[in-house]
């Protein structure tokens, strides 16, 4: 089997969906290329290829042969991301001013007619050809590759205008083609602004300890396990562990949480967060792209590749649109016999706006959400969230804080409480379950010394088994006992919402331990908000006992299923999906990874720094705040509303524009002036998403 590798390259010169298709076809034809995805708004290509069969120079040559470029560095493709609002207003004013000039001065006051009469046609034609030469070269290059773009139609319009000796009309069309290129480039840049803003939050350098001295080096030169020094007011450049020092850290860049956290020796810290007070020495663990913030940027930049149904529809529609417009122009010419009417049809059509309508809105929401601590991995998940009708919830670590504490230790058969707790905590000393941590903390508080453990074995959804001092110790839920046909009456504790652990020693029940968890304080209000969104079903799926689940869900007013094993949760998700529901699963992203992956959309709580959560979930909430859950659904619905409006506005423009042009109501010069307006409309409408509303 061939050894495959993935390569990401920046692409310059793309301004429409047809451009991405041209680049994709050029790269896909190369021997050794397994697959290629070209992203318009990210201005890059993601290529999967066989190692050794194709290289970057070959790919660059293929891209350049298609009429585009591969910059030497990523920085070459980034334009200044500042003052977008001012630029948007200036661009809109420019286009509106040109439209008014064309309508009032050019057509109404007869300026164009005067120029046509006074300037020799040959001179006017030369001016038009020189002005449009760069565009015409690209069109010819595309034609040689059997490619048709919106610029092809407008170039045909220029030729048609020259054919009837209307060089001023042809000149206006060429001028507006240049304006259109700028508007489309500006619009695409605006959609990438959130990604650029994220990238700018990281520190480009780091101060590391080398050979007994502190040296400032570029971030890419920092290696894992090196010691990094961060002083007051500086950004932390890496994910790592604090070795010495104390600091107050603002983590808003990563989690969106404005309240700072305190860090000292042993604390985990993350790249792009800011030391407000104090200074710390950090042992680097993850650097650059491997850091939590680096992965967030990477996932946001790749989000365009995960397209929803509405975006795929727009992509397909763009492929059929240009031939249809050309056909309408031909019919107009045949029926009316008026070349200018057919020219106007070719010029007024704006396919780029159709291609931009969806990705710009999606990236606006995804980028703005990432800055707030909400990581959505693609537009298709926003689309699924907007139509979701079933929400399933985990309990421990999701609705609760995931930090239970021991409340009772009940000894049986003459074994003391301390002996019961010692055996239980020893058996659980290698387990990562929250209840195991509660046992170890309780044993530590009583200053109990844990025993050595041998043959440790986890029983998923049940408990653990281990050898301690020559005895077989089993601790876990009542499922362990039920397998042996035993039954115990512990209803009083269960009715109080306690979670019970049963301890066996050599097959004999020697103790019971009761623990309880704490409900997150913001959960009741957040669930009430979630319910107000009129979702079809909200249900808790938990491995806890019936009484504990019932008591919790009575307070929250939601349905529940208790005593579930991990596979039972997956089956519950599959059951709803089989009934045609769109299912969202909310979990802590660690022990719920299978159910998160099975759901149509998996939402992981508190995924900051958690590799499993970032990989398994489709939406990762980077801080433990349940108010973000209803916010995600609101963001999705608002985004899809903007997408629909973008598509409707674009459709109205194209249908009205082509119809009016075909009947001669819109002349070619006005058609040229109008064709940039849909892009500005999409930009203005989508810009509302850059500011997330609760």
């Amino acid at each position: 089997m061939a050894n495959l590798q993935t390569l990401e390259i920046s692409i310059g010169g793309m301004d429409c969906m047809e451009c991405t298709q041209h680049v994709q076809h050029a790269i896909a034809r190369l021997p050794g290329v397994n697959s290629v995805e070209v992203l318009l708004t990210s201005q890059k290509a993601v290529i999967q290829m066989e190692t050794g069969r194709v290289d970057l120079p070959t790919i660059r040559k293929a891209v350049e042969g298609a009429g585009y470029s591969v910059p030497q560095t990523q920085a070459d493709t980034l334009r200044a991301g500042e003052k977008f609002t001012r630029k948007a207003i200036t661009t809109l004013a420019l286009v509106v001013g040109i439209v008014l000039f064309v309508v009032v001065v050019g057509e109404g006051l007869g300026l164009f007619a005067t120029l046509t009469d006074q300037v020799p046609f040959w001179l006017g034609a030369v001016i038009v050809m020189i002005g449009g030469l760069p565009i015409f070269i690209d069109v010819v290059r595309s034609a040689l590759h059997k490619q048709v773009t919106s610029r092809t139609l407008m170039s045909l319009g220029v030729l048609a205008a020259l054919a009837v000796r209307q060089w001023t009309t042809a000149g206006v069309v060429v001028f507006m083609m240049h304006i259109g290129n700028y508007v489309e480039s500006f619009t695409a840049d605006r959609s990438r602004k959130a990604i650029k803003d994220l990238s700018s939050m990281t520190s480009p350098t780091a101060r590391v300890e080398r050979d007994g001295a502190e040296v400032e080096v570029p971030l890419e030169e920092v290696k894992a396990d090196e010691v990094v020094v961060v002083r007051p007011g500086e950004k932390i450049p890496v994910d790592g562990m604090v070795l010495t020092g104390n600091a107050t850290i603002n983590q808003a860049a990563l989690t969106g949480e404005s309240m700072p956290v305190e860090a000292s020796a042993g604390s985990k810290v993350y790249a792009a967060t800011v030391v407000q007070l104090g200074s710390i020495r950090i042992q680097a663990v993850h650097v650059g792209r491997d850091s939590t913030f680096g992965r967030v940027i990477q996932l946001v930049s790749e989000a365009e590749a995960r397209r929803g149904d509405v975006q795929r529809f727009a992509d397909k529609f763009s492929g059929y649109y240009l031939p249809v417009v050309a056909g309408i122009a031909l019919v107009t010419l045949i029926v009316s016999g008026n070349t200018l009417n057919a020219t106007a049809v070719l010029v007024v059509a704006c396919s780029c706006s159709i291609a931009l309508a969806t990705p710009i809105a999606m990236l606006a929401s995804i980028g703005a959400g990432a800055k707030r601590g909400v990581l959505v991995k693609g537009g298709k998940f926003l689309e699924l969230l907007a139509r979701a009708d079933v929400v399933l919830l985990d309990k421990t670590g999701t609705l609760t804080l995931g930090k239970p504490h021991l409340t009772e230790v009940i000894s049986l058969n003459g074994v003391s409480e301390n002996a019961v707790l010692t055996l239980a905590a020893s058996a659980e000393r290698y387990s990562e379950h929250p209840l195991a941590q509660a046992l170890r903390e309780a044993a530590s508080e009583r200053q109990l010394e844990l025993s050595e453990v041998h043959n440790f074995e986890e029983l998923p959804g049940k408990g653990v088994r281990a050898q301690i001092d020559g005895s077989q110790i089993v601790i876990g839920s009542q499922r362990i006992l039920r397998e042996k046909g035993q039954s115990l009456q512990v209803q009083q504790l269960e009715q109080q919402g306690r979670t019970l652990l049963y301890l066996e020693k050599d097959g004999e029940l020697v103790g019971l331990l009761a623990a309880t968890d704490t409900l997150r304080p913001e959960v009741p209000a957040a669930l009430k908000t979630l319910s107000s969104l009129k979702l079809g079903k909200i249900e808790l799926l938990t491995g806890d006992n019936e009484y504990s689940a019932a008591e919790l869900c009575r307070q929250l007013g939601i349905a529940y299923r208790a005593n579930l094993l991990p596979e039972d949760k997956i089956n519950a998700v599959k059951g709803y999906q089989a009934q045609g529901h769109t299912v969202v699963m909310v979990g802590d992203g660690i022990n719920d990874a299978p159910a998160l992956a099975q759901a149509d959309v998996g939402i992981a709580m508190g995924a900051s720094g958690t590799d499993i959560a970032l990989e398994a979930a489709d939406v990762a909430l980077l801080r433990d705040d349940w108010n973000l859950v209803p916010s995600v659904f609101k963001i999705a619905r608002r985004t899809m509303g903007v997408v629909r409006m973008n598509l409707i506005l674009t459709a109205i423009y194209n249908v009205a524009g082509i119809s009016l042009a075909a009947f001669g109501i819109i002349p070619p010069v006005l058609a040229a002036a109008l064709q940039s307006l849909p892009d500005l409309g999409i930009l203005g409408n989508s810009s509302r998403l850059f500011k997330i509303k609760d």
Side-chain angles (χ1 to χ4, degrees):
M1 183 176 179
N3 185 22
L4 298 179
Q5 68 175 107
T6 300
L7 174 69
E8 292 185 11
I9 60 172
S10 298
I11 306 293
M14 297 190 301
D15 57 18
C16 62
M17 188 54 64
E18 292 90 346
C19 299
T20 66
Q21 294 169 356
H22 301 165
V23 174
Q24 184 169 356
H25 293 157
I27 298 175
R29 283 195 294 264
L30 296 174
V33 172
N34 187 52
S35 66
V36 58
E37 182 82 33
V38 182
L39 310 176
L40 176 61
T41 49
S42 297
Q43 293 281 286
K44 72 177 182 179
V46 182
I47 307 163
Q48 189 180 59
M49 59 189 190
E50 297 178 21
T51 304
R53 290 198 63 195
V54 64
D55 54 17
L56 181 58
T58 303
I59 295 172
R60 177 179 283 112
K61 185 176 180 180
V63 172
E64 291 173 348
Y68 305 92
S69 63
V70 179
Q72 295 295 325
T73 64
Q74 180 69 22
D76 295 337
T77 66
L78 297 179
R79 301 188 179 119
E82 303 175 351
K83 303 180 181 177
F84 268 104
T85 301
R86 185 182 303 172
K87 288 177 67 177
I89 294 173
T90 303
T91 303
L92 179 60
L94 174 64
V95 174
V96 171
I98 292 172
V99 172
L100 291 175
F101 178 84
V102 169
V103 173
V104 177
V105 179
E107 290 290 306
L109 299 182
L111 175 61
F112 294 154
T114 301
L115 287 174
T116 302
D117 293 337
Q118 298 297 322
V119 178
F121 172 72
W122 67 267
L123 179 58
V126 169
I127 294 172
V128 169
M129 296 306 294
I130 292 175
L133 188 61
I135 296 173
F136 299 149
I137 290 175
D138 287 341
V139 169
V140 171
R141 186 181 290 118
S142 297
L144 292 175
H145 289 87
K146 299 179 181 180
Q147 299 164 352
V148 178
T149 71
S150 58
R151 300 292 174 259
T152 305
L153 295 183
M154 296 188 74
S155 296
L156 290 176
V158 171
L159 294 177
L162 291 176
V164 294
R165 305 183 69 82
Q166 294 286 332
W167 74 265
T168 51
T169 297
V172 171
V173 173
V174 167
F175 179 71
M176 291 310 302
M177 288 167 75
H178 287 294
I179 294 295
N181 285 342
Y182 171 76
V183 169
E184 285 161 12
S185 176
F186 169 68
T187 302
D189 271 357
R190 184 63 179 96
S191 72
R192 291 189 292 270
K193 181 178 184 294
I195 297 176
K196 296 175 186 176
D197 286 347
L198 284 173
S199 299
S200 68
M201 292 180 183
T202 58
S203 174
T205 61
R207 187 182 296 104
V208 299
E209 293 182 353
R210 291 180 179 175
D211 299 325
E214 294 181 6
V215 183
E216 189 165 323
V217 299
L219 181 59
E220 56 267 21
E221 294 183 10
V222 180
K223 300 176 182 178
D225 294 330
E226 282 198 294
V227 176
V228 178
V229 179
V230 187
R231 295 170 180 165
E234 295 180 345
K235 294 178 181 178
I236 296 176
V238 299
D239 285 4
M241 185 78 69
V242 176
L243 297 176
T244 60
N246 296 276
T248 301
I249 300 175
N250 186 333
Q251 295 186 335
L254 180 63
T255 67
E257 174 58 63
S258 58
M259 291 296 294
V261 298
E262 300 299 325
S264 56
S267 299
K268 291 182 179 179
V269 292
Y270 303 102
T273 59
V274 180
V275 173
Q276 293 181 323
L277 297 172
S279 61
I280 48 177
R281 295 172 65 250
I282 305 166
Q283 183 176 24
V285 177
H286 298 297
V287 180
R289 288 166 59 99
D290 295 329
S291 70
T292 300
F293 197 78
R295 292 201 305 275
V296 168
I297 294 175
Q298 184 71 9
L299 289 170
V300 172
S301 66
E302 292 175 352
E304 187 189 354
R306 301 178 178 93
R307 295 182 169 120
D309 293 339
V310 65
Q311 189 166 349
R312 286 194 294 269
F313 163 78
D315 294 346
K316 291 179 180 178
F317 183 82
S318 295
Y320 294 105
Y321 179 73
L322 294 178
V324 169
V325 171
I328 294 173
L330 180 60
V331 171
T332 300
L333 179 61
I334 294 172
V335 173
S336 69
N338 191 320
T339 304
L340 290 180
N341 288 1
T343 300
V345 170
L346 295 173
V347 171
V348 79
C350 187
S351 65
C352 289
S353 60
I354 299 172
L356 292 172
T358 301
I360 284 181
M362 294 293 188
L363 284 184
S365 279
I366 291 170
K371 292 173 65 176
R372 192 186 172 190
V374 177
L375 178 58
V376 182
K377 292 187 179 178
K380 77 174 184 180
F381 302 118
L382 287 172
E383 189 173 338
L384 288 168
L385 280 165
R387 66 170 187 253
D389 56 354
V390 172
V391 179
L392 304 178
L393 313 173
D394 174 51
K395 178 191 172 187
T396 304
T398 303
L399 290 179
T400 63
L401 293 174
K403 296 181 179 179
H405 57 277
L406 200 65
T407 56
E408 288 92 10
V409 178
I410 301 173
S411 61
L412 302 172
N413 296 326
V415 179
S416 68
E417 285 189 11
N418 282 349
V420 168
L421 182 55
T422 299
L423 286 173
S426 298
E428 295 273 21
R429 69 185 302 173
Y430 299 125
S431 173
E432 296 181 359
H433 195 282
L435 286 173
Q437 179 66 24
L439 294 177
R440 292 192 294 267
E441 289 179 354
S444 176
E445 289 174 0
R446 297 192 186 191
Q447 297 182 338
L448 301 178
E449 185 175 349
L450 302 187
S451 304
E452 289 296 322
V453 176
H454 303 282
N455 301 325
F456 174 81
E457 180 185 4
E458 286 203 77
L459 308 173
K462 299 176 183 178
V464 301
R465 182 187 294 125
Q467 291 280 341
I468 299 178
D469 297 331
S471 297
Q472 177 79 13
I473 305 298
V474 179
I475 180 171
S477 67
Q478 196 172 359
R479 295 189 191 94
I480 294 177
L481 301 180
R482 286 174 180 168
E483 290 179 354
K484 298 182 179 180
Q486 299 182 28
S487 177
L488 296 175
Q489 297 298 318
V490 290
Q491 292 186 8
Q492 184 176 3
L493 286 172
E494 289 183 333
Q495 287 173 354
Q496 295 173 2
R498 300 287 194 265
T499 297
L500 297 183
L501 294 174
Y502 300 81
L503 179 69
E504 283 186 349
K505 179 179 180 181
D506 294 327
E508 179 185 11
L509 185 66
V510 296
L512 295 172
L513 302 103
T516 188
D517 203 348
T518 304
L519 183 69
R520 294 180 185 274
E522 76 277 11
V523 163
L527 273 177
K528 186 175 180 180
T529 303
L530 191 63
S531 299
S532 70
L533 299 179
K534 308 209 181 303
L535 297 160
K537 182 95 172 175
I538 301 176
E539 186 175 26
L540 174 70
L541 304 180
T542 179
D544 274 358
N545 63 71
E546 185 83 15
Y547 292 108
S548 179
E551 175 62 22
L552 176 64
C553 292
R554 181 190 63 77
Q555 302 174 38
L556 300 176
I558 59 175
Y560 69 90
R561 299 188 205 183
N563 295 308
L564 299 182
L565 296 171
E567 55 264 32
D568 296 327
K569 293 184 180 182
I570 296 176
N571 290 333
V573 174
K574 289 180 177 179
Y576 280 118
Q577 290 173 328
Q579 297 171 22
H581 296 286
T582 301
V583 180
V584 175
M585 176 73 190
V586 184
D588 60 18
I590 301 175
N591 55 4
D592 301 304
L596 290 173
Q598 176 62 44
D600 295 287
V601 181
I603 301 178
M605 292 284 300
S608 176
T610 306
D611 294 340
I612 296 175
L614 286 174
E615 292 300 323
D618 307 308
V619 178
L621 308 181
L622 300 182
R623 70 174 188 268
D624 287 317
D625 183 356
W626 238 88
N627 290 310
L628 292 178
V629 176
S631 290
V632 167
F633 287 88
K634 291 180 181 179
I635 290 169
R637 293 183 179 184
R638 189 162 172 250
T639 302
M640 293 311 299
V642 169
V643 167
R644 285 190 290 270
M645 185 176 294
N646 282 348
L647 291 173
I648 289 171
L649 291 175
T650 301
I652 290 173
Y653 166 83
N654 282 281
V655 171
I658 291 173
S659 300
L660 293 174
F663 286 102
I665 298 174
I666 296 180
V669 288
L670 182 57
L674 292 174
Q675 65 93 28
S676 295
L677 291 180
D679 292 339
L680 287 173
I682 288 172
L683 172 61
N685 192 39
S686 300
S687 291
R688 297 186 292 127
L689 297 171
F690 280 92
K691 185 176 181 180
I692 294 179
K693 296 179 179 178
D694 290 324

